[in-house]
Amino acid sequence: MGKANETSVRLDRVLLDQIAGRWQLLILEALCDHGRKARFNALKRAIPGISQKTLTQCLRQLERSGLVARRVLTDSPLGVEYSFTPLGDTLEAPVRALYNWTRQYSAAVRTAQEAYDADRSRKDGRSANKTLSRDPLP
């Protein structure tokens, strides 16, 4: 792999982390659900478990990447509104598709994880039993 290609892959990974990180995807989905624009507190209410600090950091990162625009509202009540930029609008379809896939298949993924964990636990138990049976007693 050439140096230019390696740099490109690295930059793509950084961008992917910025739009598909732990909270970013949920923020983008919340914006989709609110008609592509929402006040800060509406976003916070729409994303259970996110702290104000984390939401602020993620929104700043999305704004820096040109995906979200921030607008201070001076009318009553005062506030801040976030909306998709034209570039951010291009993410609506992929974000919705991934979010919908997650909602549709999350139970199947959990079932697969539980089966895997049970199988690993059973295999690990067998290995531990073999090791214990081989150890001489003091």
Side-chain angles (χ1 to χ4, degrees):
M1 184 182 295
K3 186 136 179 111
N5 196 23
E6 287 177 22
T7 301
S8 176
V9 168
R10 197 173 322 115
L11 293 174
D12 291 347
R13 286 182 185 163
V14 169
L15 178 57
L16 190 56
D17 285 344
Q18 289 175 359
I19 60 174
R22 178 175 180 188
W23 296 108
Q24 287 85 342
L25 196 58
L26 294 174
I27 292 168
L28 294 170
E29 175 58 25
L31 278 172
C32 290
D33 284 348
H34 284 87
R36 300 199 307 261
K37 66 179 178 179
R39 288 177 173 249
F40 182 89
N41 287 328
L43 291 172
K44 187 160 181 344
R45 283 190 301 274
I47 306 166
I50 193 167
S51 69
Q52 183 170 334
K53 179 182 176 183
T54 299
L55 179 57
T56 299
Q57 289 172 338
C58 291
L59 285 166
R60 283 184 186 155
Q61 187 177 47
L62 292 167
E63 185 180 8
R64 181 175 177 262
S65 298
L67 302 173
V68 169
R70 179 181 186 270
R71 183 170 71 112
V72 176
L73 304 172
T74 56
D75 53 322
S76 185
L78 298 175
V80 178
E81 180 181 77
Y82 292 89
S83 61
F84 279 128
T85 63
L87 181 59
D89 280 335
T90 65
L91 280 174
E92 184 174 8
V95 164
R96 283 193 184 274
L98 186 55
Y99 189 77
N100 289 336
W101 182 91
T102 302
R103 287 179 53 179
Q104 183 176 352
Y105 293 105
S106 64
V109 169
R110 279 193 304 276
T111 300
Q113 290 170 339
E114 289 167 2
Y116 177 88
D117 292 346
D119 185 52
R120 292 295 301 174
S121 188
R122 191 177 72 250
K123 287 179 181 176
D124 290 346
R126 225 181 294 143
S127 297
N129 288 339
K130 285 180 185 177
T131 302
L132 290 174
S133 65
R134 283 189 235 152
D135 290 342
L137 294 174

